[in-house]
Amino acid sequence: MFIKKFFGAILLLVILTLPQNVFAEKTDWYDRNFNFRNIRSVIVFEVTASPGVDYGGPVVLRNMQDTLYQNARKLKCNVITEAQARRDLSYQLGINLEGLAYSNPLQARQIIMQNAARIADAWILSNVDRLANNFYIEPARTVWEQRRETRRYYDRHGNRREETYYIQVPVTYPPRRVDISTLEMTMQAYESRHGDMIFARRDVRDREDYQAQKGMYSRITNSFFEDVGKKIR
């Protein structure tokens, strides 16, 4: 009994010390008339961010691109990066999309979308809509907790004995700062022939942790590609 209570207390302590999700919500839409099983190749465009979103600079953005393409493998089909699409279509169209991507990346991306059917069955867009770090102060609080006590005594034969029991005691915790990491993303899939949207997801997540968006971003993109991949297979 003591061992069960001991490990139960340890498990509770671990749970309480781990960062906890405050809010997580996924909202999906997909075209029920589209046959996802016909998709054999997909262009995965690099992740973008809405104006005013502080995502951490070019190094962080590059890591986000790497994570995006790593998770895109869950699609279980031919994944074409945006850079590969530029190279392939530059050759087919006879224009320098690589150079255009430096001077006018939006125009280069639009040309890829307009000609995507030449090299892929679909394309995917990812955008960071909001990234924020906030906090609140949790006031001091007193709670009743269980405390283990040990009583030593001698029995009637003179043998020393120990008895373990538990009592409820008030424990006061001081005020503490609680950090909140927020990440909101929109991810969309389009079929290449007509440019129609076939799948879209709005993923909103908060987490009680300090600047935890890296892990949240990985889980959001991984979940999206897993779910789209299930429709393709």
Side-chain angles (χ1 to χ4, degrees), residues 9-227:
I10 294 296
L11 178 60
L12 178 61
L13 179 62
V14 170
I15 293 173
L16 291 175
T17 56
L18 287 174
Q20 300 296 307
N21 280 331
V22 179
F23 177 82
E25 181 180 63
K26 294 185 293 187
T27 304
D28 289 349
W29 174 88
Y30 68 94
D31 186 348
R32 289 168 172 77
N33 297 317
F34 182 79
N35 188 355
F36 285 84
R37 296 184 182 276
N38 289 333
I39 295 177
R40 295 292 177 266
S41 58
V42 177
I43 301 170
V44 178
F45 286 95
E46 295 178 354
V47 64
T48 58
S50 297
V53 173
D54 182 8
Y55 50 79
V59 175
V60 175
L61 184 62
R62 179 49 56 192
N63 284 324
M64 293 171 69
Q65 311 293 12
D66 291 345
T67 299
L68 185 75
Y69 287 127
Q70 288 171 4
N71 288 334
R73 297 171 185 168
K74 299 292 178 68
L75 293 175
K76 301 298 183 182
C77 66
N78 182 33
V79 174
I80 303 170
T81 67
E82 186 170 355
Q84 290 172 331
R86 284 196 300 265
R87 290 193 294 270
D88 292 347
L89 289 175
S90 290
Y91 176 78
Q92 293 190 29
L93 300 175
I95 58 178
N96 184 10
L97 285 176
E98 295 282 1
L100 183 60
Y102 285 102
S103 60
N104 194 332
L106 181 59
Q107 184 180 359
R109 178 170 283 199
Q110 289 175 339
I111 292 175
I112 294 174
M113 293 177 182
Q114 292 166 359
N115 296 275
R118 292 172 176 261
I119 59 174
D121 303 308
W123 76 73
I124 289 175
L125 300 177
S126 308
N127 188 74
V128 177
D129 303 316
R130 182 168 177 257
L131 187 155
N133 294 290
N134 297 300
F135 72 93
Y136 67 91
I137 302 299
E138 185 178 85
R141 67 199 191 283
T142 299
V143 297
W144 287 89
E145 296 184 356
Q146 193 176 67
R147 187 174 72 189
R148 178 174 173 264
E149 296 283 346
T150 300
R151 182 173 69 89
R152 295 178 177 87
Y153 65 96
Y154 291 91
D155 63 17
R156 63 190 181 88
H157 299 293
N159 299 316
R160 186 179 181 183
R161 303 291 186 184
E162 284 191 357
E163 179 184 41
T164 299
Y165 60 98
Y166 294 85
I167 62 173
Q168 295 291 324
V169 296
V171 179
T172 299
Y173 291 94
R176 71 181 183 106
R177 169 178 167 143
V178 180
D179 290 289
I180 304 294
S181 297
T182 299
L183 184 62
E184 301 178 9
M185 288 191 66
T186 300
M187 301 187 72
Q188 301 165 313
Y190 295 80
E191 59 88 21
S192 295
R193 181 166 298 188
H194 302 103
D196 295 329
M197 184 190 298
I198 54 175
F199 190 97
R201 169 170 293 172
R202 170 78 169 163
D203 202 322
V204 180
R205 303 194 184 202
D206 289 334
R207 190 173 182 83
E208 284 190 6
D209 203 352
Y210 178 71
Q211 295 185 344
Q213 286 85 3
K214 180 179 179 180
M216 296 163 69
Y217 172 82
S218 180
R219 288 187 289 273
I220 288 174
T221 54
N222 182 72
S223 174
F224 176 84
F225 286 120
E226 273 192 344
D227 292 345

